[in-house]
Amino acid sequence: MSIDLDGNGFLREVGMQEFGVAWGGWQVCAVKSLTAAARALRTHAFPVGVLMSTLDGIEEIDSFLHQHWATQWVGVFPPRVLQTTACRRLVRDHCYDYHTLPVDAVRLQHTLGHAYGYATLRDMAESPLSEMEHADMQLKGHGAAIGRLREQILKVANASAPVLIWGESGSGKELTAQAIHAHSIRAAGPFVPINCGAIPASLAQSELFGHEKGAFTGATRDKQGLIESAAGGTVFLDEIGDLPLSLQTNLLRFLQEKTIYRVGATHSTVVDVRVIAASHVNLLHAVQQGSFREDLYYRLNVLALDVPPLRERKEDLMLLANHFFATYIAERAPRVKGFSSAAAQAIREHAWPGNVRELINRVRRAMVMAEGKLIVPRDLGLTASGKAGQSAALGGSRLRADREAVQASLANAGSNISQAARDLGVSRMTLYRLMKKLDIEG
Ligand SMILES: Nc1ncnc2c1ncn2[C@@H]1O[C@H](COP(=O)(O)OP(=O)(O)OP(=O)(O)O)[C@@H](O)[C@H]1O
Ligand SMILES: [Mg+2]
């Protein structure tokens, strides 16, 4: 794609016009405005773009390039424009490379070739959008484990029995519950999540089941409980193991009779709500220890789903990392373009005790911390060998993390300095400097 914003005849100058749309082997889509460019980019993912501009309306250009970060942009500017801070910032944040006018067509061809090669390399890494068949499910992943989970979700969605979801912290229990609700005939009804561990025991009864006016001091009017507020839909009882024993009895009665008693009420109310519960602790142990009612356990455990921990879904790691990267790119530094292969390796090697939530946090942190165009292990708070760099701010461990990241990139690149530098998102000179400082031989 080529954008000539000021109509300065850039195409003619480099000889593109002589070849019509095919220029030096390139299929060129030439446009004269950002609107036209955006329209073209909606239907076709151009790997490489040339932007010729004197940078009038730089904010609009900045936001355009920000949105279309997946294309490798090569800027072409008059020399005086390139002197400006605004232009330099634009180049730093968004451009693969830049040229000044008058353009040397041969050099430009070379740059475009490199940019194209680079775009292809990035595409090879992972394709985050290759799961259209489950576009309606927010649970991302293409591995066998998540595939099984999706199948189970679809199976239990249309049953009416309670569901018990087990999974480690941050593994996606709530998302699984939402997916069950969304695929059930109750989808149009409310989905009400309740964290059983977060409600104070003294208020829990009234929060869950509601109360009548005058039931206790301060109960100045009738109040609907959370379960009633989910009528026609689904209630999600998160951390069900934390539910006080007295409430377990009430919940069991509700599951058996489909009716609830508001606190202070003399009559019961019929409520049509499906219950999905989740726990990160083994409820059977809680039953054995007497902190969880056995009858409630069996009542809830009719349909049980396991959300596998992230370390058992290694094949999904980069897809998820890229997915969160794309999700948060809009609010973060636009110059960060993705993950280096050392970062991808560190992500694969890390054990992810905090599961998907930890991955989200580390990706967001990396997008803020990254100094180069690509995220390196240190930005993620991981070392190149995948162990969490617990005190990355301390000089010694930071040096160690740097050394591991540089060594891993060099090893990945077969000691090719240019490739390793690209991978780390730094210039070759910076990489040489780093190698000298870190005592690494090329
Ligand atoms: N497969 C997935 N695809 C996309 N996002 C996911 C996936 N699994 C989890 N997430 C996201 O990770 C975060 C944690 O997921 P969720 O809240 O469902 O986990 P949880 O098991 O309920 O965690 P906790 O035990 O901390 O309550 C959420 O932001 C969720 O959207
Ligand atoms: Mg949760």
Side-chain angles (χ1 to χ4, degrees):
M1 147 155 303
S2 130
I3 313 175
D4 183 358
L5 281 186
D6 306 303
N8 285 345
F10 155 70
L11 295 182
R12 204 166 39 249
E13 201 170 324
V14 294
M16 267 195 203
Q17 225 176 32
E18 286 169 39
F19 296 90
V21 289
W23 175 68
W26 296 92
Q27 290 291 323
V28 182
C29 164
V31 293
K32 290 194 172 136
S33 73
L34 295 179
T35 320
R39 204 178 311 123
L41 279 158
R42 265 200 292 280
T43 51
H44 188 87
F46 293 95
V48 179
V50 180
L51 172 77
M52 149 86 200
S53 171
T54 49
L55 296 188
D56 277 348
I58 188 156
E59 274 162 24
E60 208 187 328
I61 298 173
D62 184 67
S63 110
F64 169 84
L65 294 175
H66 190 141
Q67 277 169 35
H68 299 97
W69 58 272
T71 299
Q72 301 296 322
W73 293 102
V74 175
V76 178
F77 311 105
R80 65 177 167 80
V81 171
L82 195 65
Q83 304 294 330
T84 61
T85 320
C87 181
R88 289 179 181 193
R89 196 167 48 230
L90 194 91
V91 169
R92 185 199 66 187
D93 286 353
H94 304 294
C95 294
Y96 174 82
D97 204 347
Y98 64 91
H99 285 252
T100 47
L101 288 171
V103 166
D104 175 337
V106 177
R107 271 194 55 224
L108 181 60
Q109 290 267 15
H110 280 156
T111 305
L112 295 182
H114 285 160
Y116 179 74
Y118 185 63
T120 327
L121 273 178
R122 270 194 27 213
D123 279 357
M124 270 163 49
E126 228 82 37
S127 70
L129 300 171
S130 62
E131 37 169 354
M132 283 306 145
E133 74 264 41
H134 292 292
D136 58 332
M137 257 197 217
Q138 284 184 32
L139 275 169
K140 307 282 173 219
H142 53 191
I146 206 82
R148 268 196 304 279
L149 181 63
R150 284 202 197 96
E151 279 168 21
Q152 288 178 318
I153 288 172
L154 296 177
K155 269 191 204 145
V156 304
N158 284 315
S160 59
V163 180
L164 182 60
I165 303 173
W166 187 86
E168 289 181 14
S169 225
S171 58
K173 297 186 291 295
E174 182 155 351
L175 214 52
T176 301
Q178 282 167 354
I180 295 173
H181 172 73
H183 286 83
S184 73
I185 46 165
R186 300 171 168 273
F191 176 84
V192 178
I194 302 173
N195 187 338
C196 300
I199 310 176
S202 55
L203 295 179
Q205 181 84 15
S206 128
E207 283 292 309
L208 249 53
F209 298 99
H211 62 245
E212 301 273 280
K213 180 178 171 184
F216 48 83
T217 328
T220 49
R221 54 192 172 88
D222 290 356
K223 183 173 174 275
Q224 200 184 47
L226 287 167
I227 293 185
E228 241 183 297
S229 75
T234 307
V235 65
F236 174 54
L237 298 169
D238 203 358
E239 298 312 342
I240 185 90
D242 292 339
L243 200 66
L245 272 169
S246 59
L247 286 185
Q248 292 179 22
T249 313
N250 293 352
L251 181 64
L252 182 65
R253 188 167 57 210
F254 166 62
L255 289 175
Q256 285 166 340
E257 298 167 11
K258 304 279 174 220
T259 58
I260 57 160
Y261 282 88
R262 288 182 174 184
V263 178
T266 48
H267 62 278
S268 60
T269 314
V270 177
V271 184
D272 167 36
V273 167
R274 183 180 200 186
V275 173
I276 302 181
S279 172
H280 78 279
V281 295
N282 188 329
L283 281 182
L284 209 49
H285 286 167
V287 169
Q288 279 152 8
Q289 284 162 6
S291 61
F292 202 81
R293 287 186 65 129
E294 189 173 10
D295 42 10
L296 179 59
Y297 171 74
Y298 285 110
R299 192 87 201 182
L300 287 172
N301 200 26
V302 178
L303 303 171
L305 291 191
D306 267 0
V307 182
L310 196 49
R311 66 181 167 281
E312 288 175 16
R313 297 185 251 156
K314 290 220 180 266
E315 65 280 26
D316 291 343
L317 275 168
M318 283 320 291
L319 181 138
L320 284 170
N322 283 319
H323 167 68
F324 298 128
F325 181 87
T327 307
Y328 296 113
I329 188 75
E331 60 183 74
R332 300 291 164 192
R335 68 176 175 281
V336 187
K337 304 292 182 202
F339 298 91
S340 65
S341 35
Q345 189 183 341
I347 286 175
R348 283 190 203 99
E349 285 174 4
H350 186 55
W352 301 104
N355 294 292
V356 185
R357 197 184 298 289
E358 179 185 357
L359 180 63
I360 295 176
N361 291 344
R362 285 192 188 272
V363 169
R364 293 186 81 168
R365 167 200 147 116
M367 292 168 82
V368 177
M369 302 300 281
E371 286 166 7
K373 292 211 176 206
L374 294 180
I375 289 169
V376 297
R378 175 166 35 86
D379 304 328
L380 291 154
L382 300 173
T383 65
S385 64
K387 292 176 198 74
Q390 261 132 24
S391 47
L394 296 176
S397 52
R398 169 124 191 192
L399 277 183
R400 202 159 46 243
D402 282 355
R403 185 176 294 119
E404 284 172 9
V406 170
Q407 279 171 334
S409 292
L410 282 168
N412 280 344
S415 289
N416 178 326
I417 300 283
S418 304
Q419 192 185 325
R422 217 168 23 241
D423 194 22
L424 287 163
V426 300
S427 71
R428 294 181 49 192
M429 279 319 294
T430 309
L431 180 55
Y432 277 124
R433 262 200 308 278
L434 265 173
M435 287 166 65
K436 191 153 175 253
K437 179 171 130 200
L438 300 168
D439 228 342
I440 297 172
E441 283 180 3

